[in-house]
Amino acid sequence: MKKVYLDNAATTPLADEVISEMISAMKNFGNPSSTHSYGQEAKILIENVRRKVADYLHVTPAEIIFTSCGTESNNMIIKSCVRNLGVQRIITSPIEHKCVAETITEMKTRKNIEVVYLRPDKKGDVNIAQLEELLKSSEAKTLVSLMHANNEIGNLIDIKKVAEICKENGALFHSDTVQSMAHLPLDFSEIPLDFASCSAHKFHGPKGSGFAFIRKSSGLKSLITGGPQERSLRAGTENVAGIVGLGKAMELSMDHLTEYATQIQGIKDYAIEMITNAVPGVKFNGRSAEGEGSLYTVLSVLLPFKDSMIGMKLDMKGIAVSQGSACSSGASKPSMVMLMLLNDDELNSTTPLRVSFSHLTTRDEIDYFTEVLKGIAEAHKIENVNS
Ligand code: PLP
């Protein structure tokens, strides 16, 4: 059976070059904390990646803390802001990834932190003027946590503007950059944010490897206690091969940043055209069908019929997409993002589908996907006529 992978916002295939570098790193079995040559060779592998990542982001190596994933990075940043930096209020949005949303809810219920949500409009944009007003209206020590690119609809925030507003008003700013890191240029010497997160498997690197960007002198502390690894910000023997894989994947993405962005945007535009022709009445959520303000890898489709089995139907034809974000796929209730964007009528009569691309996606694959989608849409039309 033909297999088509259109779920690159959930995870991406490992690049061959990443696999080769990881295999050779695995053969270097020394513990990076050991002072002998075995350990020091492993340590050098890690420090080389740290320097490379820091250079891409225009920060210092000491500001890059390797972790196991985006979820861990976000947890560490938010929890430590409350525990160690005296944050009393968190301003966020209801459409953050679960690993941010759940962590903030925990801070609210267990630590009594005030949480204020910026309600997104029907396009999925959060209200930056409201953020500014909120920051000016209270003296409470505040953390603002807003994702750079939304994993379900691809909407982007103006990360530089938000960072500047937070800075002017004395608030800390954390941005979940898991979907945009290594896909969009990010210069943290220009963007005055305090914290960001990264996950290697979103750009053809390995799962179980990520990092947190922690602005120097922020005072953040480790959640995991033990040894002094990662400048005492994350105890535990490092995942050397995972870090090496992250470094190689980031290098490949950064070396081809403009080329891949143009190529993937071309595939996305083609998919929009083909889906629009295949399914009369189809819509696209948020800004995902607009060039501006949307991450080029993500397209959020709103099918004009209800079909909770659509993910399975496509899977049976070898096509992998997501019905929500990866974490909520399989769940029958609408995601928080869809609850914010759609009214009750739309929620009851439509089906959202997230299609996400990489530089490996081809036009042939889009043709096959839209042909299958057209068949499903036509079957719904016949069902409606007969009912
Ligand atoms: N944040 C966003 C926006 C994501 O899309 C994801 C993964 O889907 C995560 C965080 C979690 O990253 P990880 O899978 O590395 O835990």
Side-chain angles (χ1 to χ4, degrees), residues 102-321:
E102 294 289 318
T103 307
I104 292 175
T105 303
E106 192 188 326
M107 294 298 98
K108 183 179 174 181
T109 50
R110 298 191 38 187
K111 301 281 175 186
N112 217 12
I113 298 301
E114 181 192 353
V115 179
V116 187
Y117 293 94
L118 302 172
R119 206 190 152 84
D121 61 20
K122 291 293 169 197
K123 276 276 175 197
D125 292 329
V126 289
N127 189 337
I128 303 303
Q130 188 196 355
L131 169 67
E132 205 164 1
E133 261 169 47
L134 282 164
L135 290 176
K136 291 198 191 304
S137 69
S138 166
E139 295 284 295
K141 175 95 178 162
T142 300
L143 169 70
V144 174
S145 181
L146 291 174
M147 70 206 309
H148 186 201
N150 185 278
N151 50 297
E152 229 176 295
I153 52 174
N155 277 38
L156 292 164
I157 60 159
D158 185 340
I159 191 170
K160 186 163 189 270
K161 188 168 172 196
V162 174
E164 283 165 355
I165 291 171
C166 291
K167 194 160 190 211
E168 276 161 29
N169 291 282
L172 293 163
F173 177 39
H174 159 239
S175 189
D176 174 350
T177 48
V178 165
Q179 288 291 341
S180 57
M181 184 72 69
H183 291 289
L184 294 176
L186 284 170
D187 179 347
F188 291 163
S189 69
E190 292 283 322
I191 303 166
L193 88 178
D194 298 281
F195 313 110
S197 47
C198 166
S199 180
H201 73 94
K202 304 292 186 184
F203 49 91
H204 309 278
K207 289 163 192 63
S209 180
F211 67 80
F213 163 72
I214 297 176
R215 183 80 69 191
K216 208 162 43 206
S217 71
S218 68
L220 230 61
K221 293 218 163 47
S222 183
L223 284 193
I224 305 172
T225 44
Q229 291 93 348
E230 294 302 300
R231 287 148 172 89
S232 293
L233 276 164
R234 203 254 183 191
T237 302
E238 300 88 338
N239 172 8
V240 181
I243 293 170
V244 167
L246 181 153
K248 187 66 189 174
M250 193 150 181
E251 180 190 311
L252 292 170
S253 287
M254 299 307 283
D255 282 355
H256 298 92
L257 202 70
T258 322
E259 177 198 333
Y260 286 172
T262 312
Q263 184 187 331
I264 300 169
Q265 183 66 53
I267 284 287
K268 183 175 171 175
D269 292 343
Y270 183 65
I272 293 169
E273 187 192 322
M274 293 299 286
I275 295 168
T276 306
N277 291 338
V279 186
V282 73
K283 288 184 184 156
F284 299 96
N285 298 305
R287 298 203 172 275
S288 71
E290 298 170 19
E292 292 258 312
S294 170
L295 188 66
Y296 54 83
T297 49
V298 177
L299 180 63
S300 178
V301 183
L302 192 66
L303 298 168
F305 49 83
K306 194 90 200 142
D307 191 343
S308 58
M309 305 299 280
I310 193 141
M312 209 181 76
K313 287 180 186 170
L314 290 167
D315 192 32
M316 282 165 66
K317 295 280 184 187
I319 301 163
V321 295

Side-chain angles (χ1 to χ4, degrees), residues 55-92:
D55 285 348
Y56 286 131
L57 298 176
H58 300 271
V59 298
T60 63
E63 294 171 309
I64 303 299
I65 302 303
F66 292 116
T67 63
S68 67
C69 58
T71 299
E72 185 193 328
S73 306
N74 288 331
N75 264 262
M76 169 197 187
I77 292 163
I78 295 163
K79 288 181 178 165
S80 181
C81 276
V82 172
R83 278 188 205 169
N84 309 111
L85 302 188
V87 161
Q88 300 154 324
R89 178 175 70 153
I90 301 178
I91 302 177
T92 185

